[in-house]
Amino acid sequence: MNKTINFKLNGEVVAVDVFGDESLLTVIRTYLDKTGTKYGCGIGQCGACTVLIDKEAIRSCMILVEDIQDKEIITIEGLQSKNGDLHPIQKAFVEIDALQCGFCTPGMIMNAYSLLLKNPTPTRQEVLDGMEENLCRCGSYNRIIDAILNAANELNEKVKI
């Protein structure tokens, strides 16, 4: 059965006609051509498909698109500014070289963004705990944690008067 689902994606209202029970990941990648969000395991265990739904990090492969009616979705493409500047978390990943193959990076960044929204000054252990369910097959974990902590410091410096 054909359904129209309305939601906000990266700040823009979208309406998508879907056929049946499709995942948010499928709709983002196939219907809306936002391919930064990756298909990893398909069972919600690796974190490659992480997006924010109403500012909460969620595995998009595990959410039916009909469950996001009228919600706000942010993908990795939605983090950069309108003028193309990278978000401080994205910059920190590049500066610290917190990626090797880069496949897990969008999910890592989106989960880190959600973490910093909830806790703008995390300890190293809090970052480790918050990122525990995102997997990196290349093993860049130390640099990923360093990048998140650096981004937190930069974001907090911008807020100070």
Side-chain angles (χ1 to χ4, degrees):
M1 183 165 104
N2 203 18
K3 302 176 197 171
T4 300
I5 307 298
N6 301 291
F7 57 97
K8 190 181 269 190
L9 178 67
N10 299 331
E12 296 183 22
V13 176
V14 295
V16 180
D17 289 327
V18 296
F19 307 97
D21 295 333
E22 295 172 283
S23 72
L24 175 58
L25 175 62
T26 298
V27 170
I28 288 170
R29 289 184 57 81
T30 305
Y31 290 67
L32 301 172
D33 200 31
K34 302 292 184 200
T35 57
T37 303
K38 303 302 181 201
Y39 178 88
C41 65
I43 56 174
Q45 293 187 355
C46 72
C49 68
T50 302
V51 298
L52 269 59
I53 301 177
D54 292 338
K55 297 186 180 176
E56 185 73 30
I58 303 289
R59 308 295 202 251
S60 62
C61 72
M62 300 301 294
I63 300 294
L64 293 177
V65 71
E66 63 191 23
D67 294 336
I68 56 114
Q69 178 74 33
D70 299 324
K71 295 191 183 287
E72 182 176 1
I73 313 301
I74 302 173
T75 67
I76 190 74
E77 292 92 347
L79 284 189
Q80 72 182 31
S81 69
K82 297 292 182 199
N83 68 4
D85 289 341
L86 294 177
H87 187 278
I89 298 172
Q90 293 170 307
K91 286 180 189 175
F93 267 68
V94 171
E95 290 167 1
I96 300 290
D97 194 25
L99 45 104
Q100 286 184 32
C101 79
F103 192 81
C104 71
T105 304
M108 289 282 187
I109 289 172
M110 296 310 295
N111 196 52
Y113 181 64
S114 177
L115 172 73
L116 295 180
L117 287 175
K118 291 180 220 162
N119 181 359
T121 57
T123 64
R124 187 172 191 83
Q125 187 61 51
E126 289 169 331
V127 172
L128 283 167
D129 293 343
M131 299 301 294
E132 184 174 14
E133 294 181 8
N134 281 71
L135 303 178
C136 171
R137 291 189 173 126
C138 299
S140 297
Y141 294 111
N142 286 327
R143 287 179 286 175
I144 290 167
I145 301 308
D146 290 343
I148 295 166
L149 290 169
N150 282 10
N153 288 336
E154 182 180 333
L155 288 166
N156 288 317
E157 286 297 319
K158 288 182 178 182
V159 174
K160 290 182 183 176
I161 298 174

